[in-house]
Amino acid sequence: MASTASFLATLASSTATASLSATPVSGGSSKVRFLPATAQRRRVVVRAAVSGAEKEKAKPSEPGDKDKGGKDARVVQVHSAEELDSALQAAKNRLVVVEFAASHSVNSSRIYPCMVELSRTCSDVDFLLVMGDESEATRELCRREGITQVPHFSFYKGTEKVHEEEGIGPDQLAGDVLYYGDNHAAVVQLHNRADVEALMAENSGEDGKLLVLDVGLKHCGPCVKVYPTVVKLSRTMADTAVFARMNGDENDACMEFLRDMEVVEVPTFLFIRDNKIVGRYVGSGKGELIGEILRYQGVRVTY
């Protein structure tokens, strides 16, 4: 997954845009209220950037190209609910990204080259394609999954749907893949209080590093947005800081930890040194987060 960060940078340099036909969803807060009972999914409709792949002289990949010539071998097209269920079971705990598309959809064609590029760079993620208008079997699958608009992306782990998005651009798609599937980044995944305490103990004492704990929710738009920055900082600051992540809605133990830490908004970043919480930052601002990390590392920061 290391190359996903590079892919994000490439996408960010693209200047061409194309409007989506979807109705925009209001709201753009950099943080989300923490609701212990449920975590609301945040759907964001943005302008879809045209991938650099579409600027090449060769005809860009389009949904269904795999079946036509095998050029998109890592994007596997499925043709029925049975095939999808079988692929999800075979993936076990790997992230599976499913794009629901349609042959008449311009936006499906625009986003698909990014899906193909991600499939080539993210070897620990499985990518599937469902052409909703291909047959009655695929139409029935779309009805079962509640797909009303394409392109629609669903993210699965262990056969469980953990996230879904529609009307998104390449940068957000890449960010979602990184957030839900990057198991090899230098960000320690924590699942309960014992994990937190063990990591604190490892980084205490004179040679201990600053521990930056990213607390969020699975279906939190701002949490997804800031996570590529967290991954990048975990690599560039590896000598002076340790980065970790906990999703509060992963299990009851995580939820209890968030309540004990008085986390009421996400994303919240807890800064821990010598087994003590020395500060916190609430929000998804990249510059503010970097500034706070430097401040707790003893670097003088002027705002």
Side-chain angles (χ1 to χ4, degrees), residues 53-80:
E54 292 180 282
K55 300 177 182 178
E56 297 176 358
K57 293 181 180 180
K59 182 179 180 294
S61 300
E62 293 184 358
D65 272 353
K66 174 185 176 294
D67 282 358
K68 296 174 184 177
K71 63 188 290 187
D72 303 331
R74 287 223 68 241
V75 180
V76 179
Q77 187 170 347
V78 297
H79 308 279
S80 66

Side-chain angles (χ1 to χ4, degrees), residues 1-185:
M1 293 295 292
S3 53
T4 305
S6 300
F7 181 54
L8 281 168
T10 301
L11 293 172
S13 65
S14 176
T15 57
T17 58
S19 299
L20 292 177
S21 60
T23 303
V25 178
S26 61
S29 174
S30 63
K31 52 192 177 183
V32 174
R33 291 291 298 179
F34 173 62
L35 303 176
T38 59
Q40 296 295 326
R41 184 178 73 242
R42 178 176 180 266
R43 290 186 175 180
V44 183
V45 179
V46 298
R47 295 171 69 86
V50 177
S51 167
E54 292 180 282
K55 300 177 182 178
E56 297 176 358
K57 293 181 180 180
K59 182 179 180 294
S61 300
E62 293 184 358
D65 272 353
K66 174 185 176 294
D67 282 358
K68 296 174 184 177
K71 63 188 290 187
D72 303 331
R74 287 223 68 241
V75 180
V76 179
Q77 187 170 347
V78 297
H79 308 279
S80 66
E82 292 76 16
E83 288 187 12
L84 175 61
D85 294 342
S86 177
L88 295 179
Q89 292 174 1
K92 297 182 180 179
N93 290 324
R94 290 162 59 91
L95 176 68
V96 180
V97 180
V98 183
E99 178 186 359
F100 292 87
S103 59
H104 66 274
S105 170
V106 175
N107 294 322
S108 294
S109 296
R110 285 178 179 146
I111 195 72
Y112 186 69
C114 304
M115 174 91 156
V116 173
E117 183 64 23
L118 281 170
S119 74
R120 293 168 178 161
T121 60
C122 307
S123 59
D124 62 339
V125 180
D126 293 345
F127 292 84
L128 307 179
L129 172 69
V130 176
M131 298 299 294
D133 57 351
E134 178 187 57
S135 65
E136 182 56 36
T138 57
R139 284 189 284 272
E140 177 59 33
L141 173 57
C142 288
R143 286 192 289 269
R144 188 191 80 171
E145 297 298 311
I147 310 301
T148 59
Q149 179 181 337
V150 294
H152 182 109
F153 293 90
S154 295
F155 300 77
Y156 299 84
K157 267 192 173 180
T159 71
E160 176 190 359
K161 184 186 294 184
V162 297
H163 185 62
E164 58 184 354
E165 293 270 14
E166 60 187 22
I168 62 174
D171 53 349
Q172 188 165 347
L173 174 59
D176 286 349
V177 172
L178 185 66
Y179 187 75
Y180 291 102
D182 192 1
N183 296 319
H184 304 298

Side-chain angles (χ1 to χ4, degrees), residues 253-267:
C254 291
M255 196 76 74
E256 181 181 359
F257 178 80
L258 265 64
R259 285 194 292 265
D260 291 344
M261 295 298 103
E262 299 181 349
V263 173
V264 296
E265 293 178 315
V266 292

Side-chain angles (χ1 to χ4, degrees), residues 210-211 270-274 276-280 295-296:
L210 176 69
L211 174 57
L270 301 177
F271 304 105
I272 304 170
R273 189 179 288 280
D274 289 330
K276 296 180 181 179
I277 297 177
V278 295
R280 65 179 64 201
R295 183 158 73 93
Y296 288 107

Side-chain angles (χ1 to χ4, degrees), residues 181-302:
D182 192 1
N183 296 319
H184 304 298
V187 180
V188 183
Q189 308 297 315
L190 305 177
H191 309 285
N192 50 52
R193 177 184 291 275
D195 289 348
V196 178
E197 293 177 347
L199 190 61
M200 289 170 59
E202 290 176 12
N203 293 278
S204 60
E206 184 177 345
D207 297 327
K209 300 178 182 179
L210 176 69
L211 174 57
V212 181
L213 176 54
D214 175 9
V215 181
L217 298 173
K218 291 180 181 178
H219 306 296
C220 164
C223 300
V224 176
K225 175 185 174 183
V226 76
Y227 190 64
T229 298
V230 174
V231 173
K232 183 176 181 179
L233 292 175
S234 71
R235 293 166 178 154
T236 59
M237 295 184 171
D239 292 337
T240 58
V242 174
F243 289 76
R245 176 175 70 162
M246 175 181 285
N247 282 323
D249 51 351
E250 179 181 341
N251 56 48
D252 292 340
C254 291
M255 196 76 74
E256 181 181 359
F257 178 80
L258 265 64
R259 285 194 292 265
D260 291 344
M261 295 298 103
E262 299 181 349
V263 173
V264 296
E265 293 178 315
V266 292
T268 289
F269 292 86
L270 301 177
F271 304 105
I272 304 170
R273 189 179 288 280
D274 289 330
N275 296 313
K276 296 180 181 179
I277 297 177
V278 295
R280 65 179 64 201
Y281 166 68
V282 181
S284 59
K286 299 178 182 178
E288 291 89 344
L289 173 60
I290 294 172
E292 289 298 293
I293 294 173
L294 292 175
R295 183 158 73 93
Y296 288 107
Q297 286 181 328
V299 179
R300 184 177 180 180
V301 178
T302 303

